[in-house]
Amino acid sequence: MALPAYASLEDRLWHYGARLICYAVLLFLVLPIVIIVPISFTSGDMLAFPLPGFSLRWYQRILEGAAWIDAAKNSLFIGISTTILAMALGTSAAMGLWRMHFRWKPLLIGLIISPLLIPIVITAVAMYFLLARIGLWGTYAGLILAHTALAVPFVVITVLATLDGFDTNLARAASNLGAPPLTAFRKVTLPIIFPGIASGGLFAFATSFDEIVVTLFIAAPEQRTLPRQIWSGVREYVSPGIAAVATLLILVSIFLLVTVELLRRRSERLRYGK
């Protein structure tokens, strides 16, 4: 956004100074990613920059490695299951909170999103003792439930933000025309808030797909996910194969971010009728 011609010198200094700080912070955050991507194409056996040569052998080794393929399958299965469960629970909770009007509503919302605020190690220890007590430690069901507890707040936040601009007169009009509550929700409310639900689901998937601390506490030794496989690889020997896996995960993250942005724009078009 350009400054008007009549802006004072102080305004210009604040404007360009803030932009410079933003660019510096962005560079600080992105620079490690910019370095790790070319390292994944190295022909050497060690992480080194500049590259001794260009090669795709580390990608080939990752794609042909049974341990990495199994870890990817586990991550996808757990991530997709977590996403479905988190979308169902988070949307239901958001709809209930949106319709409720009482004094302690902010406190209830705070409790629901508390997994985002509590240190992840404390959450992992608490989940370990709970799941061990009910016999779900070391099972996929327990791991999915633990990841869902971390993912639900993202769905609740995004759906509540979408419902904040929802016109309740649309649902009332559907009810006045004889539509049952479930039909009115399915045909009127759901299409409008679906971009928010889908955005929350993408955040839930990313949270589960990237989770390592809770997985280390709850998963059995044979239940290896991609983050856990990377963690094991870093402990044993840091090879360029780790950089290749990290590059693939970066591509997945970029795809998720682009999808979230497209859903956000679609939600704005539906909300304002553009």
Side-chain angles (χ1 to χ4, degrees):
M1 180 179 178
L3 285 174
Y6 55 83
S8 64
L9 177 61
E10 184 180 357
D11 291 336
R12 293 181 181 276
L13 289 175
W14 275 107
H15 176 74
Y16 291 110
R19 292 183 64 176
L20 181 61
I21 293 174
C22 290
Y23 290 144
V25 172
L26 180 63
L27 181 63
F28 176 77
L29 295 174
V30 174
L31 190 59
I33 299 176
V34 175
I35 293 176
I36 202 68
V37 172
I39 289 179
S40 66
F41 296 98
T42 183
S43 61
D45 295 326
M46 300 289 293
L47 294 176
F49 195 85
L51 307 182
F54 181 85
S55 175
L56 294 174
R57 69 186 182 106
W58 294 108
Y59 287 92
Q60 182 180 3
R61 182 172 298 183
I62 293 300
L63 295 176
E64 293 177 354
W68 289 105
I69 297 299
D70 291 341
K73 291 179 180 178
N74 288 336
S75 291
L76 286 174
F77 170 71
I78 295 171
I80 293 173
S81 301
T82 297
T83 301
I84 295 173
L85 192 56
M87 289 173 64
L89 295 176
T91 302
S92 301
M95 291 294 299
L97 290 170
W98 178 61
R99 294 179 181 277
M100 294 168 61
H101 300 282
F102 65 104
R103 181 179 179 182
W104 304 107
K105 180 178 177 179
L107 178 60
L108 183 58
I109 295 177
L111 290 175
I112 292 176
I113 67 174
S114 60
L116 301 179
L117 309 175
I118 299 175
I120 190 62
V121 174
I122 297 177
T123 302
V125 173
M127 289 182 178
Y128 167 77
F129 283 110
L130 173 64
L131 295 176
R133 182 176 292 274
I134 62 178
L136 290 179
W137 181 90
T139 65
Y140 282 104
L143 196 56
I144 291 171
L145 289 176
H147 283 199
T148 301
L150 300 176
V152 163
F154 291 99
V155 181
V156 172
I157 291 173
T158 55
V159 175
L160 280 177
T162 305
L163 288 170
D164 186 53
F166 178 73
D167 187 1
T168 56
N169 291 325
L170 298 175
R172 292 195 185 100
S175 299
N176 291 335
L177 292 173
L182 185 60
T183 302
F185 173 78
R186 181 170 55 87
K187 292 190 175 182
V188 178
T189 307
L190 183 59
I192 296 176
I193 68 172
F194 180 76
I197 299 174
S199 298
L202 290 174
F203 282 115
F205 178 81
T207 300
S208 173
F209 201 75
D210 192 50
E211 175 54 45
I212 176 61
V213 178
V214 171
T215 303
L216 290 176
F217 273 85
I218 294 175
E222 66 275 7
Q223 294 171 336
R224 287 184 172 267
T225 60
L226 271 179
R228 186 174 182 179
Q229 187 67 23
I230 294 174
W231 182 78
S232 300
V234 171
R235 290 186 61 195
E236 297 168 1
Y237 170 64
V238 182
S239 72
I242 302 296
V245 176
T247 301
L248 295 176
L249 293 179
I250 290 171
L251 293 177
V252 172
S253 299
I254 292 174
F255 170 76
L256 293 178
L257 288 174
V258 171
T259 305
V260 168
E261 177 62 18
L262 294 176
L263 289 171
R264 185 190 66 82
R265 294 184 180 183
R266 181 177 182 272
S267 178
E268 289 185 351
R269 289 197 301 268
L270 290 174
R271 181 180 301 180
Y272 300 109
K274 296 180 179 180

